[in-house]
Each structure stands twice: as C-alpha cells, then as structure tokens.
Amino acid sequence: MDAPVENTENSLKQVLLQAAEELYYPSESDEPFEYFEWELGGSQPLDETQVKRFTKKTRQTPIETQSVDDFFKRVTEVKDWYHEDEIKQTEQFKALKEKITANLTDVQVFRLGRTEIEAYIVGKTPSGKWAGLSTKLTET
C-alpha cells in the first residue's frame, strides 16, 4: 500500500489527478476524472443530503451510495481475454484506487442521477475536509 502524501490538499490534488491521468471510467461516455474539495465543518459524517447540497442537486435527484471496492471492482479485475493495453489500464485503475484509499479515510462513492450519472469518490483528508475525484457516466 502507498504511503499517504504530505498533509496538504495541494499535493493530494496533484497525486490523485496524476494517478487518474488518461483514465476514463468505462461507460457510454468516456469522461475524465476531476478533483474536488468540500468544507463540511465539524466532525459530522458526510451524508446524501450534504452531497446533494455540495453538487447543487435537488432533493428529488436520485442518489446511491456504494463502497470504493464495488465502484472499482469491474475496472480492476483482469479478464482472460484482455490484451496488453487492457491489462495496463486495469493496473492503472488499481493504482488509482490505492492512491485514494492511502490518502483519504471514510472513502465512499456517491452516484447521482439515473442515466446521466455523476459519480463522486469522496473521503476525508487529514485536515478534515472532504475531497476526491468525480466523473460522469452514461448508463442506458
């Protein structure tokens, strides 16, 4: 497992974006990962209502929570028929997941929407902010 980065959000942003560089979560739309930070205040846990507020979604927006393991499962397993480039991409996704879990605590994934989905991989930074990577998925 990787050692966590220095205790600064700037270096965390750099580490996560570098690990996600040229990676696109497979869906009907291939979108890059983007870094984000949320200031919650206090030590309260992040919940679906707060995620909707940070992402400026309405209360009616469908939202699902899933574990980081479940989110990365399909992109970190090598299949028998994979070619060299697919194996390389799988290794990159494994490295990305390791960077996220090494540097953030209480990591979870929030998926907002139904067909056009915004996925937020979010965890707590050492300074107490919530941060992570987001991407857009299209699933029909």
Side-chain angles (χ1 to χ4, degrees):
M1 180 174 276
D2 291 333
V5 296
E6 296 284 325
N7 197 359
T8 67
E9 271 72 28
N10 242 0
S11 57
L12 174 64
K13 177 180 180 179
Q14 209 170 11
V15 164
L16 293 184
L17 285 176
Q18 185 176 14
E21 194 172 4
E22 296 184 27
L23 276 181
Y24 303 94
Y25 196 88
S27 79
E28 292 177 35
S29 64
D30 293 333
E31 299 286 335
F33 287 93
E34 296 179 6
Y35 181 82
F36 66 89
E37 287 180 10
W38 298 331
E39 186 79 49
L40 186 58
S43 60
Q44 52 188 291
L46 188 64
D47 64 25
E48 293 179 357
T49 302
Q50 293 157 331
V51 171
K52 286 182 182 181
R53 184 172 51 96
F54 283 122
T55 58
K56 298 176 176 39
K57 301 296 180 205
T58 66
R59 281 191 288 189
Q60 292 75 29
T61 302
I63 186 169
E64 296 175 4
T65 307
Q66 73 180 147
S67 72
V68 69
D69 290 335
D70 286 345
F71 181 78
F72 280 104
K73 184 175 182 166
R74 68 180 262 230
V75 294
T76 56
E77 291 181 343
V78 176
K79 307 293 184 202
D80 293 341
W81 63 86
Y82 276 10
H83 295 286
E84 189 176 322
D85 57 333
E86 294 164 314
I87 293 170
K88 181 181 174 195
Q89 184 179 43
T90 301
E91 294 305 317
Q92 288 175 295
F93 272 112
K94 284 180 186 177
L96 174 61
K97 179 185 170 197
E98 287 173 11
K99 293 286 185 195
I100 291 167
T101 58
N103 290 286
L104 299 170
T105 58
D106 302 322
V107 180
Q108 54 192 321
V109 178
F110 293 92
R111 294 168 44 101
L112 291 97
R114 286 275 184 257
T115 304
E116 299 290 325
I117 299 165
E118 293 179 21
Y120 292 86
I121 309 160
V122 59
K124 192 172 263 190
T125 68
S127 68
K129 291 182 182 177
W130 292 92
L133 296 173
S134 67
T135 190
K136 293 183 175 130
L137 314 169
T138 302
E139 297 176 352
T140 57

